[in-house]
Amino acid sequence: MKFPYFPSLRLCLRLALLPLLLTECGGASGKDKAGQGGADKRPVSVVATKAIARDMPVILDGLGTVTAFKTVTVRSQVDGRLDSVAFREGQFVKRGALLALIDPRPFSIQLHQAEGALARDQAQLHGGKVNLDRYTRVAKDKLIAQQQADDQGVLVGQLEGSVRTDEAQIEQAKLMLDYAHIRSPIDGVTGVRLVDPGNMVHPAEAAGIVVVTQIDPISVLFTLPQDELPRVQKALAEGKPVVEARSRDGGSVLASGTLEVIDNQINATTATIRLKAVFANPDRVLWPNQFVKARLHLGLRKGALVVPAVAVQRGPSGAFAYVVGEDKTVAARPVEVQSTDTEFAVIRSGLKPGETVVTEGQFQLKPGALVETREPGENRDPGGTKGKGAGKGQGPAREAKNP
């Protein structure tokens, strides 16, 4: 049995169901918008602290190189064969300690020859003086010519000159013999031996026998921008400022000394000034050619406005900080930084004492964002529960949802 076809009936059913479908879609869209609006209003968890006024040390940091206080290349002062070496490489030696010995026999022979010549001339001088005394008495009695007595006086003078020359030759021979014993001219540490025993050595050799460096005290040469020169000069005129030699990352203090010298010219290429600080180094923690960070203390800045250095951000318009308002929203406040170090920044303008600045979580923020402050090291899970860390078997708590 066939039913009759009614096109108008199908059309009526479609028109009747259309309002229901539109209502259902509209309700779902409204729910999505409401959920998105709630997510936008959820506060961002950040770490914040207050800007405070406190006395702040004035510190300048510069890169430096440790240099030996004195460096001496020990060379032979006489020609001869190197008989022996009396030091170990890397040994600490005192001033006057024997380092090497050159064959002393030629110089001993010269000394003996000079001593023999002196004895001969002294004997001749003694005989000449006796004759001079005799000729003088006889000349008074007119038994000999006065010229003969005068000639004897001249001979005595020549013999006296010969004796003095012989004495000088003896001193010269002793000096050469002493030069054969090569001694350290300073307190310091010996380097690598440059000549082996058995070789002939000469004063004209540039390399020498060994290099001795004095490392206690020791100096550090470091540079600062030329704009800091007036402040450094003022501090040096009032006394010797303290300088700390730190490890290259600035984390540990290796030694503490004083600023001694400001170089007499500015490096035009780098626009920097070179300074020299001297350190006591009994434990030998500083070593020549070691790279260090030099921290110069210029005094104390009274009542400086201080925030953690991480609170200062850099943007296209310069330095700024996120300031938390009373309504728990943040504003990007431009600031002028007077000085900064690894921990703190001194603010010249842009902040007031007591204002709260964000120190962690800035990458999640934008002006007007709602925030919730927490203590450093404190985490919050996505549900808002506080905790010092993630539970066992769970991943680390996140500060905010992923963008």
Side-chain angles (χ1 to χ4, degrees), residues 3-280:
F3 293 97
Y5 179 69
F6 300 102
S8 60
L9 180 61
R10 289 187 176 184
L11 179 60
C12 292
L13 290 174
R14 289 177 179 177
L15 292 174
L17 293 176
L18 181 60
L20 296 176
L21 294 174
L22 292 175
T23 303
E24 184 68 22
C25 292
S29 177
K31 290 180 181 179
D32 291 343
K33 290 181 179 180
Q36 185 177 358
D40 290 340
K41 293 298 183 181
R42 186 167 60 185
V44 179
S45 178
V46 297
V47 176
T49 188
K50 291 184 180 297
I52 60 174
R54 53 173 286 191
D55 294 342
M56 191 69 179
V58 180
I59 294 173
L60 298 177
D61 287 336
L63 295 178
T65 304
V66 180
T67 58
F69 196 71
K70 293 179 182 178
T71 301
V72 178
T73 300
V74 179
R75 299 184 178 91
S76 172
Q77 294 179 275
V78 293
D79 294 318
R81 187 190 68 223
L82 184 62
D83 270 2
S84 63
V85 173
F87 66 91
R88 299 189 312 274
E89 295 173 330
Q91 177 185 352
F92 180 80
V93 294
K94 290 286 188 179
R95 179 177 181 177
L98 182 65
L99 298 179
L101 178 65
I102 297 174
D103 185 5
R105 292 174 296 176
F107 311 108
S108 297
I109 294 172
Q110 293 177 6
L111 176 60
H112 296 329
Q113 289 176 342
E115 289 174 343
L118 176 62
R120 180 197 61 207
D121 292 339
Q122 283 178 337
Q124 292 178 353
L125 175 60
H126 178 70
K129 288 181 177 180
V130 172
N131 290 333
L132 176 60
D133 182 64
R134 182 182 302 115
Y135 291 166
T136 302
R137 286 187 283 107
V138 173
K140 289 180 180 180
D141 297 335
K142 307 296 183 178
L143 298 177
I144 61 173
Q146 183 62 38
Q147 183 179 359
Q148 188 175 358
D150 295 339
D151 292 342
Q152 186 63 29
V154 172
L155 179 61
V156 168
Q158 292 175 350
L159 293 174
E160 288 177 346
S162 297
V163 169
R164 291 176 183 174
T165 301
D166 295 337
E167 291 173 346
Q169 291 294 331
I170 291 175
E171 292 178 1
Q172 177 70 14
K174 287 181 178 180
L175 183 61
M176 294 296 103
L177 187 60
D178 183 67
Y179 283 166
H181 299 74
I182 301 175
R183 304 181 184 276
S184 175
I186 59 173
D187 296 341
V189 177
T190 60
V192 177
R193 187 178 67 247
L194 303 176
V195 179
D196 294 325
N199 286 285
M200 294 295 295
V201 292
H202 309 280
E205 293 177 345
I209 296 173
V210 68
V211 176
V212 180
T213 56
Q214 183 177 354
I215 61 174
D216 184 22
I218 202 166
S219 59
V220 172
L221 294 176
F222 63 101
T223 57
L224 291 175
Q226 65 177 17
D227 297 337
E228 304 294 348
L229 180 58
R231 289 201 294 171
V232 176
Q233 288 177 323
K234 181 180 178 181
L236 187 60
E238 296 173 352
K240 293 185 178 180
V242 175
V243 180
E244 292 179 350
R246 292 175 166 257
S247 56
R248 287 194 297 176
D249 59 1
S252 59
V253 179
L254 303 178
S256 181
T258 56
L259 180 66
E260 297 290 335
V261 177
I262 301 175
D263 200 2
N264 59 0
Q265 58 184 350
I266 293 174
N267 189 322
T269 303
T270 60
T272 57
I273 185 71
R274 188 169 61 167
L275 303 98
K276 179 179 180 180
V278 177
F279 299 82

Side-chain angles (χ1 to χ4, degrees), residues 313-378:
Q313 303 293 301
R314 303 288 175 180
S317 301
F320 70 94
Y322 282 111
V323 181
V324 181
E326 295 181 357
D327 58 353
K328 297 298 182 180
T329 60
V330 295
R333 183 87 58 80
V335 296
E336 183 180 356
V337 179
Q338 185 172 5
S339 63
T340 184
D341 58 23
T342 56
E343 298 181 8
F344 299 103
V346 177
I347 305 300
R348 188 191 302 274
S349 63
L351 293 176
K352 296 179 180 179
E355 288 188 314
T356 303
V357 294
V358 178
T359 59
E360 184 179 331
Q362 296 98 321
F363 69 95
Q364 305 176 88
L365 300 179
K366 61 182 179 180
L370 184 65
V371 297
E372 181 181 9
T373 60
R374 57 184 173 83
E375 297 295 327
E378 178 184 325

Side-chain angles (χ1 to χ4, degrees), residues 56-59 235 241 296-301:
M56 191 69 179
V58 180
I59 294 173
L296 175 61
H297 294 258
L298 294 181
L300 199 63
R301 183 181 287 114

